[in-house]
Amino acid sequence: MKVKYNLIKKEKDTEARLGTLETNYGTYETPMFMPVGTQATVKTLSPEEVKACKPGIILANTYHLWLRPGEDVVDHAGGLHKFMNWDGPILTDSGGFQVFSLAKPKDITEEGVHFKNIYNGDNLLLTPEKSIEIQNKLDSDIAMSFDECVGFPHTREYVEESVERTLRWAERGKKVFNNERQSLFGIVQGAEYEDLRKHCVEELVKMDFDGYSIGGTAVGEPKNVQYKQVEYSCKYLPKDKVRYLMGVGDPIDIIENVIRGVDIFDCVAPTRLARHGHFYTMQGKGNIKNAKYKEDFTPIEEECDCYACKNYTKAYIRHLIRAEETFGQRLLSIHNIRFLIRLTEEIRKAIQEDRLLEYRENFIKNYYEEEGE
């Protein structure tokens, strides 16, 4: 089935939306945060551990699964859900972001993107058609159009050319898309130029995608530029389709961009930070390696209902991380993912009660307190 977005309520003083997203695996509330399972696994965690964090959708990476184990292997396994033993909705990105972080500008042609396989050095070509073909075989619930992600900074002239290329690629991908169980999203580009974002949205809407993603953010731009990019995109996107901001997961960015009209988010940060000993709390980020936690026999966060906080102390997790035991990484990953999902649960409640601006103010005061902001 195609995903269906239902708008339940728009907040009184902001563009924030409370909604539901109907998928092949049930209906989920938005705004939501999606954990990232790049290689068909959320790093260090079992599907059962991820499920206990109460996510809606999880994300997998087209580029990495194309290179290893290959889309045909996943297809022969019965699709991504069976392959990774996940009985919830999965979104696959197009591979575009990974390719553009590896490719040089001269490697981007009208046909697609030429680049080298990071594992064996082979020359590869990823086209809009190939990206969609791979995702059709992966059999995710939501697939992404292949787009060009422009880094920051850039010239307006290049962004203009890039937006037109992204639109042509979106059209080419849509023509070959042929998985009736899957939904296809278009990706809005245009950097920080409102007229280019507007143009991109209008042309994508004519193609009638099942949902829309906002791309070109979290590529090195300052936060105020990111928020403008989101505003300029959401302003013109249809009210009856879901809006997905790609690669953004800093807690304050989730709040700020919900205020601007975004419904779903993803980011690798919670598991990446965990692997380096960092954790989120409502009082700000912490580093479990700090000496002050050596005999701290309290949970990471008293109010948190995750497995790590209900069963283990900071002292124990610090010991694990310093001893380079992977169980410590798992516990921090569980906590960090659950933290961002709890954050979206609180955001939904604030929208329901028309107090999201007040929620943001309190969050900033508590989260940045120790930094004196």
Side-chain angles (χ1 to χ4, degrees), residues 208-258:
D208 190 27
F209 285 93
D210 302 309
Y212 296 91
S213 305
I214 299 167
T217 61
V219 290
E221 78 285 359
K223 285 188 186 296
N224 65 317
V225 173
Q226 179 192 115
Y227 301 158
K228 273 186 193 172
Q229 292 174 328
V230 171
E231 269 177 40
Y232 296 158
S233 304
C234 287
K235 190 171 172 182
Y236 303 103
L237 282 167
K239 309 283 188 235
D240 63 341
K241 297 283 178 80
V242 71
R243 301 162 180 177
Y244 161 36
L245 180 58
M246 308 178 78
V248 171
D250 188 61
I252 190 59
D253 292 345
I254 291 177
I255 298 169
E256 291 285 1
N257 290 308
V258 165

Side-chain angles (χ1 to χ4, degrees), residues 141-361:
D141 301 278
I142 300 171
M144 291 291 127
S145 295
F146 189 63
D147 66 323
E148 181 180 358
C149 182
V150 178
F152 185 90
H154 39 248
T155 63
R156 181 183 165 100
E157 183 184 17
Y158 188 84
V159 177
E160 285 175 358
E161 292 172 11
S162 173
V163 165
E164 295 305 327
R165 186 181 296 119
T166 283
L167 290 169
R168 291 191 294 271
W169 284 359
E171 197 164 21
R172 281 167 53 189
K174 197 164 190 297
K175 278 180 183 167
V176 300
F177 179 79
N178 66 356
N179 185 333
E180 61 188 22
R181 292 181 303 280
Q182 210 169 37
S183 300
L184 181 61
F185 284 17
I187 301 180
V188 181
Q189 292 288 353
E192 70 272 30
Y193 306 106
E194 182 171 2
D195 59 326
L196 298 184
R197 291 265 172 193
K198 179 174 186 271
H199 169 65
C200 194
V201 168
E202 288 171 347
E203 294 304 311
L204 289 172
V205 169
K206 286 178 192 171
M207 298 179 209
D208 190 27
F209 285 93
D210 302 309
Y212 296 91
S213 305
I214 299 167
T217 61
V219 290
E221 78 285 359
K223 285 188 186 296
N224 65 317
V225 173
Q226 179 192 115
Y227 301 158
K228 273 186 193 172
Q229 292 174 328
V230 171
E231 269 177 40
Y232 296 158
S233 304
C234 287
K235 190 171 172 182
Y236 303 103
L237 282 167
K239 309 283 188 235
D240 63 341
K241 297 283 178 80
V242 71
R243 301 162 180 177
Y244 161 36
L245 180 58
M246 308 178 78
V248 171
D250 188 61
I252 190 59
D253 292 345
I254 291 177
I255 298 169
E256 291 285 1
N257 290 308
V258 165
I259 285 169
R260 289 159 174 79
V262 173
D263 304 305
I264 56 179
F265 301 81
D266 82 282
C267 191
V268 298
T271 48
R272 180 176 287 166
L273 287 169
R275 292 195 300 280
H276 293 93
H278 297 280
F279 59 87
Y280 297 116
T281 76
M282 289 297 179
Q283 280 67 52
K285 271 195 299 216
N287 184 341
I288 202 73
K289 295 176 186 173
N290 287 351
K292 66 180 177 179
Y293 299 126
K294 186 172 184 178
E295 293 195 31
D296 185 337
F297 302 112
T298 63
I300 299 168
E301 195 167 25
E302 293 282 359
E303 302 78 26
C304 183
D305 60 359
C306 80
Y307 171 76
C309 287
K310 285 197 291 191
N311 294 283
Y312 299 98
T313 65
K314 291 196 274 288
Y316 178 63
I317 298 171
R318 178 182 185 272
H319 155 66
L320 293 175
I321 293 291
R322 288 182 63 82
E324 298 183 355
E325 289 288 348
T326 53
F327 188 44
Q329 297 177 12
R330 280 171 61 195
L331 291 173
L332 289 182
S333 295
I334 288 168
H335 171 75
N336 285 349
I337 288 172
R338 180 62 191 140
F339 176 89
L340 293 181
I341 292 169
R342 277 198 307 129
L343 180 70
T344 57
E345 290 168 357
E346 291 187 5
I347 288 170
R348 294 199 295 263
K349 193 167 187 292
I351 297 171
Q352 184 67 58
E353 297 170 1
D354 287 315
R355 55 174 182 83
L356 188 54
L357 294 177
E358 179 193 332
Y359 180 86
R360 174 182 66 182
E361 193 179 324

